[in-house]
Amino acid sequence: MKKTLVRFLVASLVLTLLLVTAGCSSGGTQKPADQGSEPSAKAPEPQLKSEYKLTMNVATETMWGQGGVKFAELVKEYTGGKVNVKVYPNAMLVGGDQMRQAEMVQSGAIDFMLNSTINIAPTIPEFDAFGLPFLFPSYEAVDAAIESGAADALFAALEDYNMVGLGWGENGFREITNNKREIKSPDDLKGLKIRVTTPMYIDIMRALGANPIAMNWGEVFTSLQQGTIDGQENPVVGIIIPNKVYEVQKYMTNWHYSYDALALAVNKDVWNSFPDDIKQQIQRAADDAMKYQKEISRKGLTEGIEMLRTEKGMVVTDLTPEQLKPFQELVKPVYDKYAEKVGLNIVKAFEDAVATAK
Ligand code: X2X
């Protein structure tokens, strides 16, 4: 009897131990099941970074720069402080190498860019569409290209490079300045050392008889000052005035030879990491910031040119349609070459939009 009792007690102890152990382990595996029942009450907080980097090639004082600053402010406001975009001007995240910004956003090393289509084109050829020589005669024509949906093809191309386009801003029509002489005909450009950016601009300047020199924007002012280059080309209100280019340049010709659009874009993985409500808030910030940015880029052009003439002593030349013709004829082969690279369908859609605006 005694032995039986001892066996019974030992067996009960073992059973108790087993039950306790099982209880513990089942308690351990229960957690996910408990968690699984929680979300119906409250959605999990999105995983947001403490800072999202936005790169720009220019200073915050430029009209372009102001657009980046406005976007960051509005993102903060519309997301109730949840998303913090920090603006990095002057291509500082890429050591001044302006063409590298798009690939850095593509890889995710940088989150956002407010970037000129000129700087994007060496990475994504479709982006040369806006800058094709003498494509746009007016702001109305530019607006038509965006409103008609022709420019959507560029944002579609952006998606293939792991980026999402949020909106179009404006650097503006690029006008040419130099220190040697007034430019009224292609002959006046002969041999002038003109700083440019992309292969398309190099080809344009060569076709016009100038001597193009590729250089990052960060080096331009000093190079003009030291006379290493004779001239450059950039928008008046957006860049020439805020960067005080008039201090180192005597002549400017308004020839509207190339239009420079800005694309506000984000890395696709970053974009997909945002929940829908935050995506909508960021998109609204992009719409409002780019509307504002375009307004300030277009405002004050007449006054700005007047100021360059009177206060700054620049010789500002306006060309008649007749005077523009020889320039347009010389760059026609360059237009055709880059239209091929952009894609003829895209260029046709741009040209059709331009035709409706005239
Ligand atoms: O480099 C330029 O000329 C500038 C500032 O306009 C661009 O980034 C395209």
Side-chain angles (χ1 to χ4, degrees):
M1 272 301 281
K2 257 188 170 179
K3 266 187 187 171
T4 328
L5 188 67
V6 170
R7 266 194 211 127
F8 173 75
L9 285 174
V10 170
S12 321
L13 198 70
V14 169
L15 191 68
T16 314
L17 276 171
L18 279 173
L19 282 174
V20 169
T21 321
C24 280
S25 62
S26 79
T29 53
Q30 253 167 16
K31 263 195 177 164
D34 289 349
Q35 272 183 350
S37 61
E38 268 173 27
S40 58
K42 196 170 146 243
E45 277 296 308
Q47 292 296 308
L48 296 174
K49 295 199 268 185
S50 59
E51 175 190 302
Y52 291 87
K53 294 180 167 53
L54 181 146
T55 182
M56 306 188 302
N57 192 32
V58 292
T60 47
E61 294 75 38
T62 59
M63 302 307 127
W64 168 352
Q66 292 292 301
V69 170
K70 180 62 107 189
F71 175 65
E73 281 169 10
L74 292 180
V75 167
K76 190 166 188 185
E77 187 185 326
Y78 296 167
T79 64
K82 282 190 193 152
V83 177
N84 168 32
V85 173
K86 181 155 186 224
V87 172
Y88 288 85
N90 302 317
M92 61 196 284
L93 294 176
V94 287
D97 190 352
Q98 62 192 79
M99 303 304 172
R100 286 196 52 221
Q101 295 170 96
E103 60 187 60
M104 295 283 268
V105 177
Q106 180 186 0
S107 75
I110 300 176
D111 306 296
F112 290 88
M113 65 180 179
L114 179 54
N115 203 0
S116 160
T117 52
I118 294 166
N119 297 331
I120 304 172
T123 310
I124 313 177
E126 286 87 341
F127 275 73
D128 263 333
F130 275 106
L132 286 171
F134 297 107
L135 168 60
F136 292 109
S138 63
Y139 288 130
E140 289 72 29
V142 171
D143 293 343
I146 292 171
E147 280 154 24
S148 70
D152 293 353
L154 276 57
F155 278 171
L158 211 50
E159 300 253 352
D160 295 337
Y161 290 79
N162 201 37
M163 289 178 266
V164 175
L166 299 174
W168 293 108
E170 179 163 284
N171 195 15
F173 282 103
R174 300 178 73 91
E175 319 297 7
I176 189 161
T177 67
N178 84 96
N179 243 344
K180 294 272 182 204
R181 53 184 169 260
E182 195 180 358
I183 296 170
K184 287 200 246 167
S185 78
D187 266 357
D188 301 321
L189 260 171
K190 283 243 157 66
L192 289 188
K193 281 182 269 171
I194 306 291
R195 174 271 174 175
V196 287
T197 43
T198 59
M200 181 167 81
Y201 284 12
I202 291 176
D203 287 350
I204 293 173
M205 289 301 165
R206 283 213 180 110
L208 294 173
N211 179 8
I213 299 189
M215 185 185 284
N216 280 319
W217 173 238
E219 296 159 42
V220 174
F221 193 89
T222 319
S223 305
L224 288 171
Q225 205 165 29
Q226 293 174 346
T228 338
I229 47 176
D230 301 316
Q232 63 86 47
E233 41 73 64
N234 252 302
V236 179
V237 175
I239 300 280
I240 291 176
I241 295 177
N243 283 289
K244 299 191 166 58
V245 174
Y246 50 78
E247 284 184 357
V248 286
Q249 295 280 267
K250 176 83 181 156
Y251 304 97
M252 180 168 90
T253 294
N254 291 319
W255 62 344
H256 276 36
Y257 92 114
S258 181
Y259 174 78
D260 188 0
L262 302 178
L264 177 59
V266 56
N267 171 276
K268 203 192 264 182
D269 304 317
V270 169
W271 181 246
N272 289 336
S273 75
F274 294 132
D276 283 348
D277 57 339
I278 289 191
K279 275 187 184 145
Q280 279 159 20
Q281 289 151 357
I282 294 177
Q283 185 59 64
R284 195 178 138 219
D287 294 345
D288 292 356
M290 290 304 96
K291 186 166 177 273
Y292 164 81
Q293 195 279 332
K294 265 192 199 170
E295 274 166 21
I296 58 171
S297 292
R298 292 183 185 187
K299 227 170 51 189
L301 183 59
T302 319
E303 299 86 328
I305 288 176
E306 206 38 42
M307 184 273 285
L308 292 177
R309 273 200 177 108
T310 52
E311 283 172 44
K312 306 299 172 192
M314 274 190 109
V315 177
V316 182
T317 309
D318 293 309
L319 299 182
T320 63
E322 275 312 303
Q323 285 174 312
L324 277 172
K325 265 200 188 123
F327 291 98
Q328 290 164 335
E329 268 153 32
L330 284 171
V331 298
K332 187 79 181 56
V334 184
Y335 185 105
D336 294 341
K337 175 177 168 186
Y338 285 88
E340 290 267 356
K341 290 182 194 279
V342 168
L344 294 180
N345 288 345
I346 296 177
V347 175
K348 170 88 170 54
F350 270 73
E351 288 170 347
D352 288 349
V354 169
T356 63
K358 270 185 198 160

